[in-house]
Amino acid sequence: MADLQLNQFAAPKIRSASDEKPVVVGLYGVPGSGKTFLLDQLKQELGQTHFAFYEGSRMIDSVVPGGLAAFQNMEEQEKAHWRRRAIDTIGKSSADSGQVAVVTGHFLFWSEEQAAGSPVHTPNDFEVFTHILYLDIPAEVVEQRCLDDTERSRPLTSASFLRRWQQEEKAQLRHLCRCHGVLFMLVSPTPTLLDRVSMLLHDFRDQTEKHNLFQAERRLDDIVGASQSQLKTMLVLDADKTLAAADTGALFWQRVSNLHPSKYELSTLKALFGSPLGYSYTAFRQAVLLYEESASDQEFDAICQDVASTVSMYPEFVSLLQMVAEQKHVGAVVVTCGLRRVWDKVLEREGLSKNVKVVGGGRIADGFVISGSVKGALVDRLHDVHDMYVWAFGDSRLDLDMLLKADQPIIVVGEEQTRSKTMDAALTNAIDNNDGFRARQVVLPINASPRLDITKLPIVNLTKPEFVNSLLGGRHTHDGLQVLCATEKSAAKLLAAPMRNAAIAGPDLREAHRRVGRYLALEFLADVLGLEQPPIQHVLGHQTRGYQLFHEQQTTIVALMRGGEPMAFGVSDTLPLAMFVHAGDADDIKLHHLEGQLTVILVDSVVNTGKTVVEFVQHIRKLHATIRIVVVAGVVQAQCVSGGSLNRTLADYPQIHLIALRLSDTKFTGSGNTDTGNRLFNTTRLP
């Protein structure tokens, strides 16, 4: 799939002063943490073309009349005014220059004799700062540095008190940053501290929500472009609680909390996404910084490996993806808000990683994060750029955007005690307020209870032939018109024989057409519309589930009179709850025949030029722009679908299928005793 507009976007280069908010990074830590020393190192390492560096006390000295000495003699209220002025000045300068500002500062002043520290931050700090890095230096190291400092007069402070001071600052900063949309990260001392902070600052400079989406789309484009075949259909799958029952994020933090019980809790991610950040882009960026601060690259990979070893994919998905891997026209990609590295390892263990790639984040090196809106945008890209038919599989609210945009949305429903608690309400809202959103659910394991009721959210089974066939086979595309025909099937040949037999007419021919209608509905409409499993009473007396075509009651069958009526009755036999309408011409279809419906089925015995079908489709589209239209016919002239007016006219219309018993190369319009309508109703002798 080369040259599919894969380079239609130019990668964002540098941040300009016109961006919405300048990047201003606070560098915090208790006195003696090494903020000023690190700031000077960064200035030498990064230069001052794209970055500007500010030491807090020097900035106060420059903006306060009389300088720092005058500031120190002011009342606290006046000091707060000048602190606000200083940070506002930095923010404005960064906005004007387009440079990333790096600012050292204090959060609390606290002496060991005091019961609590004195805040020296201002509300303006959290309006200006976009990021805060906190130097999380061991208290014993800070204590020794203060003792060894001969250039500054520092009060003697015990390591235990410094530790308490640090804990208070870190707790308050985490909370305030989440309340104000400021990204926060602890930075621990390592031999590569300078390189690590430099890397972070470069990332902060480049990352915007637009850049994030560009990187995610590029990853998707690379996956599609690497395919050696012409993909027509793509499965887009969420990972956690979709491919497996496990929540790998929770498993990761379970292990981290075991390793660092005083720093991290089991509920680390739950607390983040339960904060005012919610499930925003900023929240997912914050999650990446949590993963970065909690483990080095080597430690992170080891934890991911440990987590992956405990994850068991649902066997139904394993077998489905194995089958997809053998197809030339169908592909699959995992798009996860969770940890890419974990799911790479899980898929590799299952022997699927060659064909099923992962779009996800978790580390800064991944280059992007996946949020719910990004998932939806990637489905849009598969449609708009790669011209693909998309099946989406997901379990939670974060998947709703991609599910709403997919051609075939499938909700994965796990055990009641572990499934998303907010999904039922979100799904109900989506179904009730999005016309044409025809989601179905797969319940895994199969003995779990379904979501909602199965009329609103029908059940499918990933292992059943009807589901697999609808996903993988039986469909080919002609310029947008999806054609399904049974020409070469043995059953079709047997059914077509009496229709072509000149000795058969009247009731016998009508019955032959009716049998064809039943067959085409069973063979192909089941794939197009899908199946649902309503509860039924078993002959042995217990409740079980039967099968019926999806949303029968929201289907309208239109018999194109008069030749289409017998076959339409056969279709109706298979959809007994569907509305049935006789139409002599297109105007016979009224708005009330379509309102509240999801599918309209036009049934005719023969399609020659396609002129009549086109008239009906155009009329229906004027009344209802999105309803699914299925044309069912016994015989279709091959040229009209391969390059004729039917194909040309309907190519731009969405959701149109043509189902035929057979395609014929013969160009022939019947009359008299060769006209199908006359033969059906014994009117061959009429003029």
Side-chain angles (χ1 to χ4, degrees):
M1 240 187 215
D3 302 322
L4 274 173
Q5 303 178 31
L6 302 187
N7 298 311
Q8 72 175 47
F9 292 128
K13 298 297 183 184
I14 63 172
R15 177 176 296 276
S16 71
S18 64
D19 286 335
E20 289 185 8
K21 188 174 181 181
V23 177
V24 181
V25 183
L27 200 57
Y28 278 66
V30 297
S33 296
K35 300 184 294 292
T36 302
F37 179 75
L38 178 59
L39 189 77
D40 291 338
Q41 284 186 308
L42 290 168
K43 190 182 298 185
Q44 293 296 318
E45 176 74 14
L46 300 175
Q48 298 184 64
T49 301
H50 299 294
F51 297 89
F53 302 91
Y54 301 89
E55 201 278 325
S57 60
R58 292 175 189 166
M59 192 64 196
I60 292 288
D61 186 63
S62 69
V63 299
V64 176
L68 193 58
F71 175 82
Q72 291 171 338
N73 290 321
M74 293 176 180
E75 297 295 328
E76 285 304 316
Q77 187 173 356
E78 195 173 1
K79 285 181 178 179
H81 164 76
W82 289 108
R83 289 185 181 117
R84 291 193 297 270
R85 174 73 66 86
I87 191 64
D88 288 346
T89 300
I90 292 171
K92 185 177 185 306
S93 177
S94 180
D96 292 342
S97 67
Q99 292 176 306
V100 174
V102 184
V103 187
T104 63
H106 298 281
F107 185 73
L108 297 175
F109 283 154
W110 201 352
S111 66
E112 203 156 352
E113 297 78 24
Q114 295 175 309
S118 302
V120 291
H121 58 87
T122 73
N124 297 45
D125 294 342
F126 294 95
E127 292 178 7
V128 173
F129 283 129
T130 55
H131 307 73
I132 289 178
L133 297 177
Y134 191 89
L135 296 184
D136 194 22
I137 312 301
E140 292 78 10
V141 173
V142 175
E143 180 186 36
Q144 190 61 47
R145 284 180 180 175
C146 292
L147 290 171
D148 295 342
D149 192 344
T150 58
E151 295 183 3
R152 299 187 189 186
S153 176
R154 297 183 187 271
L156 295 178
T157 310
S158 68
S160 60
F161 174 72
L162 286 168
R163 191 174 300 109
R164 179 184 168 199
W165 188 349
Q166 289 175 324
Q167 289 171 348
E168 185 66 24
E169 288 197 332
K170 288 185 288 187
Q172 287 195 36
L173 278 167
R174 276 205 199 278
H175 173 72
L176 287 170
C177 285
R178 290 180 184 181
C179 288
H180 292 87
V182 178
L183 294 175
F184 177 77
M185 179 178 171
L186 303 181
V187 182
S188 301
T190 66
T192 60
L193 177 62
L194 175 61
D195 291 339
R196 181 161 178 75
V197 174
S198 296
M199 179 270 293
L200 289 169
L201 292 176
H202 277 295
D203 180 70
F204 298 165
R205 171 176 167 259
D206 292 337
Q207 277 292 347
T208 64
E209 198 161 355
K210 180 179 179 181
H211 179 81
N212 182 80
L213 178 57
F214 167 80
Q215 295 284 30
E217 289 178 332
R218 186 166 71 173
R219 168 66 176 156
L220 180 67
D221 291 343
D222 289 343
I223 291 170
V224 174
S227 173
Q228 300 300 310
S229 56
Q230 293 292 318
L231 296 177
K232 298 295 184 184
T233 298
M234 183 67 81
L235 278 60
V236 180
L237 307 110
D238 175 47
D240 294 284
K241 297 190 177 182
T242 294
L243 293 179
D247 180 343
T248 61
L251 293 173
F252 182 97
W253 287 104
Q254 181 182 64
R255 284 152 178 77
V256 171
S257 66
N258 290 338
L259 293 171
H260 308 288
S262 62
K263 290 181 69 173
Y264 302 104
E265 299 178 350
L266 281 171
S267 59
T268 294
L269 284 185
K270 185 176 181 180
L272 168 61
F273 295 120
S275 76
L277 294 178
Y279 288 95
S280 63
Y281 161 74
T282 301
F284 285 102
R285 285 282 296 161
Q286 181 61 71
V288 170
L289 296 186
L290 282 170
Y291 285 119
E292 288 284 347
E293 75 175 46
S294 68
S296 67
D297 288 342
Q298 186 175 359
E299 292 167 339
F300 180 81
D301 192 70
I303 296 172
C304 287
Q305 181 62 55
D306 185 29
V307 170
S309 68
T310 68
V311 175
S312 297
M313 285 181 63
Y314 290 121
E316 294 87 348
F317 270 114
V318 174
S319 61
L320 179 66
L321 292 174
Q322 286 173 339
M323 191 171 296
V324 167
E326 299 173 357
Q327 309 302 309
K328 293 183 178 180
H329 65 294
V330 182
V333 61
V334 174
V335 180
T336 177
C337 298
L339 296 167
R340 176 192 61 81
R341 194 99 44 109
V342 169
W343 286 100
D344 277 343
K345 295 175 184 295
V346 172
L347 292 170
E348 182 179 12
R349 190 188 66 221
E350 298 290 349
L352 295 165
S353 58
K354 180 180 178 182
N355 297 97
V356 183
K357 303 300 181 182
V358 181
V359 179
R363 297 293 273 187
I364 285 177
D366 289 313
F368 58 88
V369 297
I370 297 294
S371 64
S373 61
V374 171
K375 287 187 173 189
L378 294 183
V379 171
D380 280 339
R381 191 161 183 85
L382 287 169
H383 282 148
D384 300 340
V385 175
H386 300 290
D387 194 26
M388 288 188 183
Y389 191 85
V390 178
W391 292 68
F393 299 78
D395 74 289
S396 73
R397 285 189 304 160
L398 284 171
D399 304 313
L400 265 181
D401 202 13
M402 76 171 185
L403 290 165
L404 282 164
K405 293 178 177 182
D407 301 289
Q408 293 286 348
I410 307 294
I411 315 300
V412 178
V413 180
E415 297 280 9
E416 194 164 355
Q417 62 269 27
T418 60
R419 69 180 61 161
S420 168
K421 301 298 186 292
T422 59
M423 187 60 166
D424 278 358
L427 262 178
T428 299
N429 181 65
I431 293 170
D432 291 345
N433 295 291
N434 292 274
D435 292 341
F437 180 54
R438 300 173 59 253
R440 294 174 284 167
Q441 62 179 313
V442 55
V443 179
L444 296 172
I446 59 173
N447 59 352
S449 59
R451 283 195 185 275
L452 307 181
D453 66 77
I454 60 174
T455 301
K456 179 167 283 191
L457 197 64
I459 295 174
V460 295
N461 189 321
L462 298 182
T463 64
K464 292 295 183 181
E466 55 266 25
F467 176 83
V468 175
N469 290 338
S470 68
L471 190 151
L472 298 181
R475 181 188 292 112
H476 62 277
T477 302
H478 268 299
D479 297 330
L481 177 63
Q482 297 187 51
V483 181
L484 301 96
C485 69
T487 304
E488 299 304 321
K489 294 180 180 288
S490 298
K493 293 174 181 178
L494 291 171
L495 288 167
M499 296 170 64
R500 305 174 73 185
N501 190 336
I504 297 177
D508 290 343
L509 184 58
R510 292 199 295 273
E511 180 57 31
H513 277 239
R514 189 167 192 151
R515 286 196 298 269
V516 168
R518 291 194 202 105
Y519 168 75
L520 293 177
L522 291 169
E523 180 70 22
F524 294 114
L525 273 179
D527 291 337
V528 173
L529 304 183
L531 298 178
E532 57 186 350
Q533 290 182 280
I536 60 172
Q537 186 74 21
H538 196 277
V539 293
L540 297 179
H542 61 271
Q543 283 284 317
T544 187
R545 297 191 186 279
Y547 287 95
Q548 65 185 36
L549 290 177
F550 186 55
H551 278 319
E552 282 189 27
Q553 288 181 295
Q554 291 172 283
T555 300
T556 299
I557 300 169
V558 180
L560 274 60
M561 297 300 289
R562 63 181 171 162
E565 185 188 56
M567 197 172 296
F569 281 139
V571 174
S572 181
D573 291 341
T574 311
L575 290 91
L577 301 180
M579 182 189 302
F580 194 98
V581 177
H582 290 89
D585 57 46
D587 290 335
D588 289 338
I589 299 178
K590 308 300 182 183
L591 181 60
H592 61 262
H593 295 137
L594 307 176
E595 285 181 323
Q597 304 296 84
L598 294 175
T599 304
V600 57
I601 303 172
L602 305 175
V603 187
D604 204 354
S605 57
V606 179
V607 175
N608 285 313
T609 65
K611 180 176 179 292
T612 301
V613 170
V614 168
E615 290 173 354
F616 272 85
V617 169
Q618 290 175 333
H619 176 73
I620 291 169
R621 277 287 175 255
K622 289 179 182 178
L623 297 177
H624 196 307
T626 60
I627 195 167
R628 184 202 311 271
I629 301 173
V630 182
V631 180
V632 175
V635 181
V636 176
Q637 208 282 317
Q639 187 177 351
C640 80
V641 295
S642 64
S645 61
L646 181 67
N647 193 18
R648 290 195 305 271
T649 305
L650 302 187
D652 294 331
Y653 285 110
Q655 296 212 89
I656 299 182
H657 297 74
L658 174 64
I659 296 173
L661 183 69
R662 64 189 183 92
L663 297 180
S664 173
D665 292 323
T666 303
K667 296 181 180 180
F668 179 77
T669 301
S671 62
N673 61 5
T674 62
D675 177 74
T676 302
N678 287 336
R679 293 177 60 224
L680 284 167
F681 297 100
N682 285 334
T683 57
T684 56
R685 296 185 300 277
L686 294 180

